[in-house]
Amino acid sequence: MGVGGGPAKSDLVDSFGRIIRDLRISVTDRCNFRCTYCMPEQGMDWLPRSAVMSFEEIERLAQIFVERYGVNGIRLTGGEPTVRAHLPVLVEKLSGLVGPDGPVNVAMTTNGATLRTLAPVLRAAGLSRVNISLDTLDSKKFHELTRRDQLEQVIDGIDAARQAGFDPVKINAVIQRGVNDDEITDLAAFGREREVEVRFIEFMPLDATGHWMSEAVVGQAEILDIISSVYPVEQIPARGAAPADRFRYLDGAGMIGIIPTVTKPFCGDCDRVRLTAEGDFRTCLFATEESDLLAALRSGETDDQIATRIEAAVALKWAGHRINQVNFIRPDKSMSQIGG
Ligand code: SAM
Ligand code: SF4
């Protein structure tokens, strides 16, 4: 028995000694937005329903990670997780899982557009944290960026998440040069006023259209310079395995995070693995290989057999992505197909 009363634990460790603690699960490849840095306006080939993991299948795979390997955090993502019907039912199932250190922490990344109705229900179902994507405060630019006219709904969704008791609520803002880099300070001010932590994300080569280029990336150093010239910050040490470097405002008005995937990779501390909506297991966002756990499960394999596949895949987890190197190969899936 583990400390929290769960089953005995064996850590899932890769060949570089990194212990896996965080599982990202994509619950759908579909989305109600079409963000330019993620999806094309048209032409995405959606998975057929039968190819997508059912809630029972997700629960069974998640249970292996939590109970057997001590994974203590699950983040639901997509596509847009809230377009999956009956999502609170899945949240309830997953938040009931108990690992050796106690109940698993279930979080979600969402575009926020439907949170006014869903936030209280998800909270009641056991969701513990929510990250909401918001890249601009300008409604015209929002429409251009997401190809949807829903800035008001997203801001209302952020308020709804706070009112439902989510704390902290974090905002994800992908910064692209010439698109929204002129709004970095405005987004920071928004976070300060609304008491939410804005996390600035470097643009990654995972857009479906393949338009990413390094010139479009606004790096951590530049983002930090811009913000601290208006609102001075100091770094909070000990980032651990989290993807964001965190900084606190010197005047006490909260915090920001910066996710420097491109300019300052944090692969050495990575504790994350992923399941796509179709049940493919990926040990890196940028992986070019996957292990089809759903096929294994549907073919009748036992938990032990599936666990062997998980361990074999984790043993091959890369030291790190190679975005800045000549031998970088873009994965053939884009962000919404992987589950960011
Ligand atoms: N639909 C949800 C959302 O937008 O929050 C969850 C899925 S989305 C793929 C997860 C996160 O990936 C979002 O914060 C989104 O902004 C981010 N993202 C998508 N494409 C990206 C890219 N090319 N570079 C960096 N971040 C990206
Ligand atoms: Fe949809 Fe999220 Fe991708 Fe935007 S970033 S298109 S909201 S999946």
Side-chain angles (χ1 to χ4, degrees):
M1 278 276 177
V3 180
K9 175 166 100 178
S10 83
D11 285 336
L12 196 51
V13 191
D14 74 8
S15 58
F16 300 95
R18 293 171 297 191
I19 300 173
I20 304 303
R21 287 278 180 260
D22 189 83
L23 174 65
R24 309 269 159 125
I25 303 176
S26 172
V27 297
T28 178
D29 59 328
R30 297 172 195 234
C31 188
N32 46 354
F33 283 14
R34 293 288 181 277
C35 303
T36 51
Y37 53 70
C38 182
M39 284 195 191
E41 186 161 17
Q42 286 173 338
M44 287 297 281
D45 290 328
W46 308 124
L47 294 169
R49 298 255 175 236
S50 59
V52 174
M53 291 187 288
S54 68
F55 286 176
E56 289 69 29
E57 288 165 338
I58 293 175
E59 187 184 16
R60 178 155 165 226
L61 291 176
Q63 193 166 7
I64 296 175
F65 284 95
V66 172
E67 293 185 354
R68 193 175 285 241
Y69 296 122
V71 161
N72 53 21
I74 291 178
R75 177 169 293 276
L76 301 178
T77 180
E80 172 50 39
T82 61
V83 304
R84 177 87 188 241
H86 313 297
L87 186 67
V89 174
L90 177 66
V91 169
E92 201 166 348
K93 283 178 188 291
L94 296 179
S95 58
L97 295 178
V98 180
D101 302 325
V104 70
N105 190 295
V106 183
M108 177 176 76
T109 303
T110 171
N111 63 29
T114 59
L115 283 182
R116 174 51 64 191
T117 38
L118 269 180
V121 192
L122 288 168
R123 181 89 186 142
L127 191 71
S128 62
R129 281 181 296 128
V130 66
N131 287 18
I132 303 168
S133 300
L134 176 65
D135 311 305
T136 175
L137 300 166
D138 177 294
S139 55
K140 185 166 169 281
K141 203 187 286 181
F142 185 94
H143 198 165
E144 285 164 9
L145 251 175
T146 63
R147 302 187 178 105
R148 297 291 183 272
D149 188 12
Q150 295 197 18
L151 175 62
E152 266 179 42
Q153 284 93 322
V154 172
I155 292 181
D156 187 47
I158 293 168
D159 292 340
R162 297 220 50 217
Q163 287 156 12
F166 288 104
D167 187 22
V169 168
K170 294 185 182 174
I171 305 300
N172 285 354
V174 178
I175 304 300
Q176 288 176 268
R177 192 172 306 286
V179 176
N180 61 346
D181 52 338
D182 57 337
E183 284 195 74
I184 291 173
T185 317
D186 293 343
L187 286 162
F190 175 88
R192 288 164 58 90
E193 280 157 22
R194 281 215 159 49
E195 298 179 3
V196 291
E197 181 175 329
V198 181
R199 293 151 29 112
F200 297 89
I201 302 177
E202 293 182 354
F203 180 32
M204 302 175 213
L206 289 172
D207 52 321
T209 51
H211 284 137
W212 181 91
M213 49 183 181
S214 56
E215 293 75 13
V217 177
V218 183
Q220 169 170 137
E222 191 175 339
I223 293 171
L224 209 49
D225 272 355
I226 292 170
I227 294 174
S228 53
S229 68
V230 184
Y231 308 116
V233 293
E234 66 179 359
Q235 184 153 11
I236 302 169
R239 73 199 309 288
D245 283 331
R246 300 176 81 208
F247 303 83
R248 76 166 71 83
Y249 292 115
L250 293 184
D251 64 3
M255 283 183 273
I256 55 164
I258 304 182
I259 301 184
T261 313
V262 180
T263 67
K264 212 178 130 227
F266 39 85
C267 307
D269 295 317
C270 179
D271 70 346
R272 284 170 291 285
V273 290
R274 295 180 147 79
L275 269 175
T276 69
E278 61 205 309
D280 288 322
F281 181 53
R282 301 175 65 89
T283 55
C284 174
L285 201 44
F286 297 92
T288 49
E289 284 179 14
E290 302 177 328
S291 172
D292 190 345
L293 297 188
L294 183 60
L297 188 153
R298 286 185 179 176
S299 75
E301 287 195 7
T302 62
D303 284 4
D304 282 346
Q305 287 171 310
I306 293 171
T308 304
R309 290 179 187 276
I310 292 171
E311 287 172 24
V314 166
L316 296 176
K317 183 172 162 76
W318 295 351
H321 67 65
R322 305 191 192 97
I323 293 177
N324 301 311
Q325 295 167 32
V326 284
N327 58 354
F328 173 67
I329 302 170
R330 271 181 77 116
D332 54 15
K333 285 184 176 167
S334 59
M335 191 66 116
S336 67
Q337 295 168 316
I338 297 167

